């Protein structure tokens, strides 16, 4: 079956079902907004419990990461992400899910060669570039302080 690119594009358009973009955007907005609202409620609760702003913010991050990792392990987060799309992937919960999912997938290969290796497949580049960027920014700041 020889087709030109134009013919192939037409073939694909005829067979593809249309994407429900408005429905997807509404779900992403509602779920992402709910996650952010939960984060704000947690922040207010931690501050009401006597934590300062910075410590309360750290507590919110840790709580949301733990919740996303737990829900990923239970298989709930992926079901939610299928419906909500970017609504679950954009907040910090998406990073937790991205780390836990590959680790769970390869746990049968062992703790070190399966889980640990796959866990850092995603986190490794983020950590490397984060640390590298902080060193570069720190050096720039240091030089700026010296040559004031």
């Amino acid at each position: 079956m020889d087709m030109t690119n134009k013919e192939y594009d037409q073939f694909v358009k005829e067979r593809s079902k249309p994407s429900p973009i408005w429905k997807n955007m509404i779900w992403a907005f509602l779920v992402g907004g709910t996650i952010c609202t939960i984060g704000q409620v947690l922040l207010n609760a931690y501050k009401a419990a006597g934590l300062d702003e910075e410590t309360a913010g750290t507590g919110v991050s840790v709580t949301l990461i733990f919740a996303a990792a737990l829900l990923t392990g239970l298989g709930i987060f992926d079901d939610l992400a299928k419906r909500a799309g970017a609504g679950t992937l954009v907040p910090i919960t998406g990073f937790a899910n991205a780390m836990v999912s590959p680790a769970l997938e390869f746990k049968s290969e062992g703790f070190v060669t399966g889980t640990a290796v796959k866990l850092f497949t995603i986190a490794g580049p983020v950590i490397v570039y984060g640390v590298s960027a902080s060193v570069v920014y720190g050096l720039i700041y240091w030089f700026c302080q010296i040559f004031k």
Side-chain angles (χ1 to χ4, degrees), residues 53-100:
E53 182 86 23
E54 187 176 335
T55 308
T58 301
V60 170
S61 296
V62 169
T63 303
L64 289 176
I65 289 169
F66 174 77
L70 179 65
L71 292 175
T72 299
L74 296 173
I76 297 169
F77 194 93
D78 291 334
D79 292 338
L80 181 63
K82 284 178 189 171
R83 180 173 288 255
T88 57
L89 301 178
V90 174
I92 197 169
T93 54
F95 180 69
N97 175 261
M99 285 189 60
V100 173

Side-chain angles (χ1 to χ4, degrees), residues 72 94-104 115 118-120 122-124 127:
T72 299
F95 180 69
N97 175 261
M99 285 189 60
V100 173
S101 290
L104 289 174
T115 302
K118 292 302 176 181
L119 183 71
F120 288 103
I122 301 294
I127 293 168

Side-chain angles (χ1 to χ4, degrees), residues 131-147:
V131 170
S132 300
S134 67
V135 168
V136 169
Y137 297 144
L139 288 173
I140 291 170
Y141 180 77
W142 182 64
F143 279 123
C144 289
Q145 294 301 313
I146 290 176
F147 298 113

